[in-house]
Structures are given as structure tokens and as C-alpha cells.
């Protein structure tokens, strides 16, 4: 099933057997309110799979950052398939 393939692909990536062919980020917006910030962007990538195939990724990404002790730290991240 699709979930199993995603987990398997992630394991190959973490094992160093797969490499990204390209990575791009676009349409970034940043909204700051006090010590919190919401960052949105689109993430596009092509990744080589160990079997010779290529995965194409097109994600809408949302990140929540919090400033603590003068440093910005990532509190949460969510990504979903972009339209």
C-alpha cells in the first residue's frame, strides 16, 4: 500500500542510499506576532530511489517558530500534498 511505500522510501533516504536530484522552495511567507512566527512555503523536489526510479515531491509546508532566549526554534511543522 501507499503508506508502506512511503515508510520504505524514508528508510532508504535515512540509510543514505537515495539522493535528491533537485530541491526548490518557493512562495514563502512569514508572519510574526510577538515571539511566534508562522512560515509557509511550497517545497518541490525530485529524489532518486534505490530501484532507479524517481519520486517527485510537491508539498505545501507550514512551520511554527517560537523565539526563546534570543534564538528562533522550530516548534511544529506540517506538510501536505500541494494542489
Amino acid at each position: 500500500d501507499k503508506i508502506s511505500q512511503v515508510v520504505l522510501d524514508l528508510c532508504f533516504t535515512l540509510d543514505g542510499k537515495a539522493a535528491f536530484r533537485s530541491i526548490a522552495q518557493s512562495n514563502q511567507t512569514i508572519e510574526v506576532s510577538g515571539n511566534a512566527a508562522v512560515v509557509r512555503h511550497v517545497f518541490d523536489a525530485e529524489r532518486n530511489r534505490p530501484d532507479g526510479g524517481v519520486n517527485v515531491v510537491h508539498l505545501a509546508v507550514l512551520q511554527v517558530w517560537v523565539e526563546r532566549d534570543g534564538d528562533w526554534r522550530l516548534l511544529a511543522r506540517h506538510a501536505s500534498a500541494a494542489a
Side-chain angles (χ1 to χ4, degrees), residues 10-52:
L10 178 60
C11 290
F12 283 130
T13 299
L14 297 175
D15 195 19
K17 295 180 181 177
F20 283 97
R21 297 172 65 175
S22 66
I23 296 176
Q25 180 179 305
S26 61
N27 300 332
Q28 184 176 45
T29 62
I30 301 172
E31 299 173 41
V32 178
S33 179
N35 70 331
V38 174
V39 180
R40 293 178 176 91
H41 66 267
V42 175
F43 176 83
D44 290 295
E46 291 183 348
R47 187 173 60 88
N48 295 326
R49 293 193 324 242
D51 65 4

Side-chain angles (χ1 to χ4, degrees), residues 37-82:
V38 174
V39 180
R40 293 178 176 91
H41 66 267
V42 175
F43 176 83
D44 290 295
E46 291 183 348
R47 187 173 60 88
N48 295 326
R49 293 193 324 242
D51 65 4
V54 175
N55 285 354
V56 176
V57 179
H58 182 63
L59 299 173
V61 179
L62 170 74
Q63 299 176 339
V64 178
W65 292 79
V66 177
E67 185 180 23
R68 290 187 189 150
D69 302 323
D71 292 322
W72 285 95
R73 300 170 191 218
L74 183 61
L75 179 66
R77 178 188 175 277
H78 174 77
S80 60

